[in-house]
Amino acid sequence: MTDSTDHIQLAIFDWAGTTIDFGSCAPAAAFRKVFAAHGVEASDHAARAPMGLNKREHLIRMLQTETIAQQWLAANGKAWTEDDVSRLYEEFIPYQLQAIEESSKLVPGLNEVVQHLRNHNIRIGGTTGYFKAAAEATAAAAREQGFVPDANVCADDVPEGRPAPWMIYEVMKQLTVYPARCVVKIGDTVADIEAGHNAGCWTVGVCDSSSSTGLSYEDFQHLQAVEQKERIASTTNVFKDAGSHFTIGSLEELPVVIQKINQRMAQGERP
């Protein structure tokens, strides 16, 4: 049980694109490969647009787009069905697991930020739209690099993934932290922000490693400074449009944001 309600006590991080796999490259690559196996060329934008949802829902959102639906009809001779979604999902699993093996580095600065939060008595949670096997593989890769959250929940653990609030609530339950205004949700997708709002938490969008920015760490570093700023500004606008309470260029800015949240809460402001 919480002993105070005027400061942040729990930070819940997304995984791919926020804490690990800068740019959320693993799921994007897996979605493109599974569609390519069925004669459909999905663009990187199409693969990333529904990012943050559970992976079955992500596949449905992609199939519902006009371009992919038309390609599916042309390649398969009929419109897609729920049976096709089930087949795609089963085929997607090994692609995703392979991609995780190839894209499993922690986002730079994560461990330092997490240690800072722990030093200020803030618990650490993780949530992901990954299915159980992918979530476990990701957590194992992170553990080897020194990142172990106090609680970790995936889409398979709850009745419905993001933007529903259930993963956030499950982390809160496991760590016995409440009310939700003492929690900050940090993520790299619109679905993260929406889930945070639905849970009644503070929300923070991370821009440089975001799936919306859509670049690996190496590719982002190769951009000129002005191009980096343009990418960050574009992703910032995406989060602001989604109603994010705060946006940050990179994770290193999170401790300052949490200080600002605490100041606002002390003055009576709520998310």
Side-chain angles (χ1 to χ4, degrees):
M1 181 174 178
T2 58
D3 58 2
S4 177
T5 59
D6 64 354
H7 63 270
I8 293 298
Q9 300 188 39
L10 170 61
I12 302 179
F13 292 85
D14 176 54
W15 281 90
T18 303
T19 56
I20 200 168
D21 183 15
F22 192 106
S24 201
C25 297
F31 282 117
R32 296 186 70 182
K33 285 181 179 179
V34 74
F35 275 100
H38 290 269
V40 175
E41 184 178 352
S43 67
D44 188 62
H45 173 74
R48 292 178 179 278
M51 205 68 79
L53 303 180
N54 76 67
K55 302 316 173 193
R56 183 183 175 88
E57 181 63 26
H58 189 127
L59 288 166
I60 292 173
R61 293 288 183 91
M62 290 181 69
L63 286 164
Q64 287 174 337
T65 64
E66 183 177 357
T67 300
I68 291 179
Q70 290 177 347
Q71 286 192 62
W72 184 274
L73 179 61
N76 297 279
K78 62 181 181 65
W80 63 273
T81 66
E82 284 295 323
D83 287 340
D84 293 321
V85 175
S86 296
R87 186 169 74 255
L88 281 170
Y89 183 71
E90 290 302 315
E91 294 172 2
F92 169 79
I93 290 174
Y95 285 122
Q96 178 69 93
L97 294 174
Q98 178 185 358
I100 287 171
E101 291 182 8
E102 299 167 354
S103 303
S104 59
K105 289 184 180 180
L106 292 184
V107 169
L110 171 68
N111 281 335
E112 292 78 8
V113 168
V114 167
Q115 187 58 54
H116 176 91
L117 300 185
R118 291 193 189 282
N119 290 344
H120 287 76
N121 299 315
I122 296 174
R123 308 293 296 280
I124 305 299
T127 60
T128 178
Y130 279 158
F131 51 91
K132 179 67 77 174
E136 291 175 347
T138 302
R143 187 180 308 115
E144 292 178 357
Q145 299 169 75
F147 175 55
V148 182
D150 301 310
N152 190 27
V153 176
C154 75
D156 286 352
D157 296 325
V158 293
E160 183 181 355
R162 293 181 294 233
W166 309 128
M167 288 196 290
I168 294 172
Y169 288 157
E170 179 62 25
V171 171
M172 292 171 60
K173 183 181 78 171
Q174 289 183 20
L175 298 180
T176 60
V177 174
Y178 68 89
R181 65 175 177 267
C182 297
V183 179
V184 58
K185 178 67 176 75
I186 305 103
D188 69 289
T189 68
V190 168
D192 286 303
I193 305 306
E194 292 175 342
H197 275 290
N198 289 336
C201 307
W202 296 93
T203 57
V204 179
V206 184
C207 295
D208 63 349
S209 61
S210 170
S211 179
S212 294
T213 302
L215 295 174
S216 69
Y217 179 72
E218 292 76 16
D219 288 342
F220 185 78
Q221 292 302 312
H222 285 155
L223 294 179
Q224 297 294 322
V226 64
E227 294 176 304
Q228 290 184 355
K229 289 180 180 179
E230 289 173 352
R231 291 270 189 162
I232 295 295
S234 177
T235 302
T236 295
N237 288 334
V238 169
F239 289 138
K240 285 183 176 179
D241 288 345
S244 182
H245 295 104
F246 294 89
T247 63
I248 53 179
S250 65
L251 274 180
E252 286 88 345
E253 300 171 37
L254 182 61
V256 172
V257 165
I258 290 180
Q259 285 182 339
K260 292 179 180 179
I261 293 174
N262 288 339
Q263 290 168 358
R264 293 189 182 185
M265 291 180 70
Q267 296 169 359
E269 187 173 340
R270 299 294 181 256

